[in-house]
Amino acid sequence: MKFKNVKIITNNTFKKLLNNNPYFRKLLLILFDAIILPFSICLSIWIVFSEGFKLAIFSYNWLLFSSFFIGIIVYIFTGQYKSLTRYISSFSLYKILFRNGLLVFCLIIFGVLINANLPPRSTWFLLWIILSSLTGGYRILIRDFLLGLIKKRNKFSKVLIYGAGVAGAQLINAIRFEGYEIVKIIDDNSSLWNRSIDGIQIISPKEIERFLENIDQIFIAIPTLTRNKKLQILDQIKEAQNRSIPIIQIPSIDDITSGRTRIDNLKPISIDNLLSRNIVKPDKRILGKGIKNSNVCVTGAGGSIGSELCRQLLKLEPKKLVLIENNEYSLYKISQELEKIDANGTKLKTFLGSVTKSKFIEKIFLDNEIDIVFHAAAYKHVPLVENNPIEAIINNCFSTLNICKAASNCNLKNMLFISTDKAVRPTNVMGATKRLAEQIVCSFDNIEKRSKKQDFRTKFSMVRFGNVLGSSGSVVPLFMQQIKEGGPITITHKEITRYFMTIKEAVLLVIHSITLSRGGDIFLLDMGEPVKIKKLAEQMIILSGFKIKNEDNLDGDISIEYVGLRPGEKLYEELLIDAKSEPTEHHLIYRANEKSISEELLFSKLNAIEKLVEQQKTEETLLLLSECVPEWNRNYLNQIPES
């Protein structure tokens, strides 16, 4: 019964310590030090005077009393009781060595002042060593004891750490008391295998499979990791994985060194990290020229591309930023966000309305003395546009015609149209309308070149790029929702591929393009390598902490189903029509050289299309659209083999 009572008291005592009661913790540590101080003096005197210990201890008894008072005072004033015992490190031990050295020095000075009998120098050295060993040692024991109590009280998450470099060692130090049990460290460097960091063994990546069964998470502790290496690690884990394991990464080296975040600020690997290239940095020679102190307008300002354009343009300090958006809530949302940003004097103006209204657009341009317009407003969902072709032609083609007319009439400096890779040899109405809009932009530039002097003419240009991660038309939000609902992920075809880039990167390059414009340009953005949608889906399942369900793994979580190509959907997207392009001053922006139909023929066809649109004659309208876009393949689906 007595033993049980002692155990209960001990557990309660350490629970108080565990709960970080600062007063209790300090009193407990002072008590330990109060015992260690006289004990260390006795031990050091005994080592030096082993045979005459009793006589020596009597001779130097002043040390026993003074060490307690002077020692505790020195410890308090030098911060001995401020550091958290559970996080004791080598730096803490160095401070303990310094404090005990200072204590020994103070005892010597005190002995001289009171004219006391001083022991030999070897006793003082021994006292310093013994004090430092005991005061540092019992703190390490308490730290490890606390860790044991935490492990018993809380179920620790078992993790593998990928990376045995400096970042890996720092991460181990940072998280070992935060609910994680580090099982093994993985590294590609064979010279590190079977060695250890802080008692944790380093193993080869080939041995991952042995430990996955009992692992809760994998931390990637390589802040400079490239996209290709992330993909390689993900594939490696995917091959070995037979259960769902979240994969987490530490921040980039830039974020750590800049102080924006800490090494233990862990976050899941996002699909953006895997699909985008290494970060594209702004080219200061090009970016922002012509934007600062100009009046800039963005159409479709509430959309995914338009809203990011507004965010980045605001940083370039235009005189005025004008937002046009047809969706009330989207306009409210982006305007509220921009108003919270320090705009450096930029005046924000918002207009709710449709870009299909020519007088509405022209009035905005004149009243706000617009210099540059970024035309991002469009319908872009392929299936919806396929089912509503008349509205798509009005919104995608005639809005572009209105913007171009207004830009020319109001003598804007630049008009830049946001196009898409689906405009290249289109197989759907959306792509065909975008291609027709491109031709409208080119025609207006040709007219400007003939009718106006160089200094007064508007430069019309366009930027063509592929899928943008996270945009409303991207497959990524759809896949995320399907994963959230437990699957399945639906893909139209096993072989379907797409180009991808992040919204921020796409918009950054779009803004660069304004400076590069000579008029009539079709700019192409370097989208990197095309990505198989099937592989994208598999990576998203793994990154979400689930396993893929298929014929080889019937116990999986999320399956992938192939539903067949939708009307107008391509297997592969392209960026060029005539396969000719030239580099520009920016290494990720190219200029295409493509033919277009004559302005006379184009505008006569547009007049005819407008009349048919008013009469809602869908088939006749689409027939005329195909005459304007002769490369439009409306029979594409019949040429695709079944998936």
Side-chain angles (χ1 to χ4, degrees), residues 264-318:
D264 58 343
N265 188 10
L266 304 166
K267 58 182 179 179
I269 293 180
S270 69
I271 201 68
D272 292 30
N273 298 146
L274 298 175
L275 294 178
S276 63
R277 292 178 295 278
N278 293 330
I279 295 172
V280 176
K281 295 183 179 178
D283 188 332
K284 293 180 181 178
R285 299 174 302 114
I286 304 170
L287 183 66
K289 285 187 177 179
I291 300 291
K292 188 170 184 177
N293 296 324
S294 294
N295 296 325
V296 182
C297 175
V298 177
T299 71
S304 49
I305 301 293
S307 59
E308 182 60 29
L309 266 168
C310 293
R311 291 182 197 102
Q312 293 197 30
L313 286 167
L314 198 58
K315 295 175 185 176
L316 299 174
E317 301 177 21

Side-chain angles (χ1 to χ4, degrees), residues 594-630:
E594 295 179 349
K595 297 174 184 176
S596 59
I597 63 175
S598 68
E599 296 95 67
E600 292 81 7
L601 179 59
L602 175 66
F603 289 119
S604 68
K605 296 281 185 187
L606 283 171
N607 288 333
I609 289 173
E610 189 173 16
K611 290 176 183 176
L612 291 171
V613 164
E614 287 174 1
Q615 298 168 31
Q616 291 290 302
K617 293 185 177 180
T618 303
E619 194 53 45
E620 292 90 335
T621 303
L622 293 177
L623 185 62
L624 264 180
L625 178 61
S626 64
E627 290 177 13
C628 294
V629 186

Side-chain angles (χ1 to χ4, degrees), residues 120-403:
R121 279 177 290 182
S122 58
T123 309
W124 297 113
F125 179 74
L126 275 170
L127 178 60
W128 177 61
I129 295 295
I130 292 167
L131 266 177
S132 299
S133 301
L134 292 176
T135 52
Y138 87 77
R139 279 169 169 78
I140 292 173
L141 287 173
I142 290 176
R143 181 196 70 181
D144 294 342
F145 182 76
L146 288 175
L147 180 59
L149 281 180
I150 295 170
K151 283 185 178 180
K152 285 180 183 178
R153 195 178 70 171
N154 304 319
K155 186 182 177 183
F156 267 29
S157 178
K158 293 183 178 181
V159 300
L160 287 175
I161 289 184
Y162 205 116
V166 174
Q170 289 176 344
L171 182 62
I172 290 166
N173 230 15
I175 68 170
R176 65 185 312 165
F177 294 99
E178 301 298 336
Y180 298 104
E181 181 183 339
I182 303 153
V183 177
K184 297 288 177 184
I185 304 166
I186 307 159
D187 203 278
D188 296 326
N189 188 347
S190 58
S191 66
L192 299 176
W193 297 344
N194 296 319
R195 297 172 71 183
S196 64
I197 297 176
D198 229 356
I200 304 162
Q201 187 185 15
I202 302 168
I203 61 170
S204 161
K206 293 178 182 177
E207 296 184 66
I208 289 178
E209 193 170 358
R210 288 172 47 206
F211 301 96
L212 287 181
E213 192 62 38
N214 299 312
I215 292 300
D216 299 310
Q217 297 179 83
I218 295 173
F219 292 166
I220 297 181
I222 310 173
T224 56
L225 202 63
T226 63
R227 169 183 171 266
N228 288 339
K229 186 61 181 173
K230 283 179 187 174
L231 286 168
Q232 184 184 330
I233 291 171
L234 196 66
D235 288 341
Q236 196 174 50
I237 293 168
K238 175 190 160 190
E239 288 174 13
Q241 185 174 342
N242 56 4
R243 53 187 291 273
S244 57
I245 303 174
I247 303 167
I248 313 294
Q249 67 176 356
I250 63 171
S252 69
I253 200 73
D254 285 343
D255 285 340
I256 296 169
T257 54
S258 66
R260 288 192 294 269
T261 188
R262 302 179 312 177
I263 197 163
D264 58 343
N265 188 10
L266 304 166
K267 58 182 179 179
I269 293 180
S270 69
I271 201 68
D272 292 30
N273 298 146
L274 298 175
L275 294 178
S276 63
R277 292 178 295 278
N278 293 330
I279 295 172
V280 176
K281 295 183 179 178
D283 188 332
K284 293 180 181 178
R285 299 174 302 114
I286 304 170
L287 183 66
K289 285 187 177 179
I291 300 291
K292 188 170 184 177
N293 296 324
S294 294
N295 296 325
V296 182
C297 175
V298 177
T299 71
S304 49
I305 301 293
S307 59
E308 182 60 29
L309 266 168
C310 293
R311 291 182 197 102
Q312 293 197 30
L313 286 167
L314 198 58
K315 295 175 185 176
L316 299 174
E317 301 177 21
K319 184 179 178 182
K320 187 186 293 183
L321 182 59
V322 174
L323 284 63
I324 303 176
E325 173 57 55
N326 196 30
N327 183 288
E328 181 187 20
Y329 177 69
S330 297
L331 183 62
Y332 169 77
K333 192 175 176 183
I334 186 61
S335 63
Q336 289 293 301
E337 180 185 337
L338 296 178
E339 283 172 7
K340 293 175 184 176
I341 300 172
D342 182 7
N344 293 312
T346 298
K347 188 175 181 180
L348 284 173
K349 294 200 77 175
T350 56
F351 293 92
L352 179 65
S354 173
V355 284
T356 60
K357 298 175 181 177
S358 56
K359 293 189 182 296
F360 169 70
I361 295 298
E362 194 159 323
K363 188 174 190 308
I364 290 172
F365 284 4
L366 285 171
D367 291 350
N368 294 279
E369 300 179 330
I370 299 298
D371 300 302
I372 300 166
V373 59
F374 291 87
H375 180 35
Y379 289 153
K380 56 188 177 183
H381 288 268
V382 171
L384 285 175
V385 169
E386 204 69 20
N387 293 327
N388 299 276
I390 295 291
E391 288 304 313
I393 290 168
I394 294 170
N395 197 64
N396 291 359
C397 301
F398 289 107
S399 71
T400 305
L401 182 64
N402 289 338
I403 296 290

Side-chain angles (χ1 to χ4, degrees), residues 547-587:
K547 53 185 177 180
I548 301 163
K549 185 178 182 179
N550 52 32
E551 292 177 0
D552 300 325
N553 185 16
L554 296 175
D555 294 327
D557 303 302
I558 309 287
S559 62
I560 297 173
E561 291 183 4
Y562 301 98
V563 296
L565 289 172
R566 299 171 298 181
E569 188 173 32
K570 275 185 180 183
L571 272 184
Y572 312 100
E573 297 290 2
E574 308 163 273
L575 287 169
L576 280 168
I577 295 175
D578 298 331
K580 294 177 184 177
S581 68
E582 62 184 44
T584 66
E585 291 174 54
H586 197 290
H587 68 288

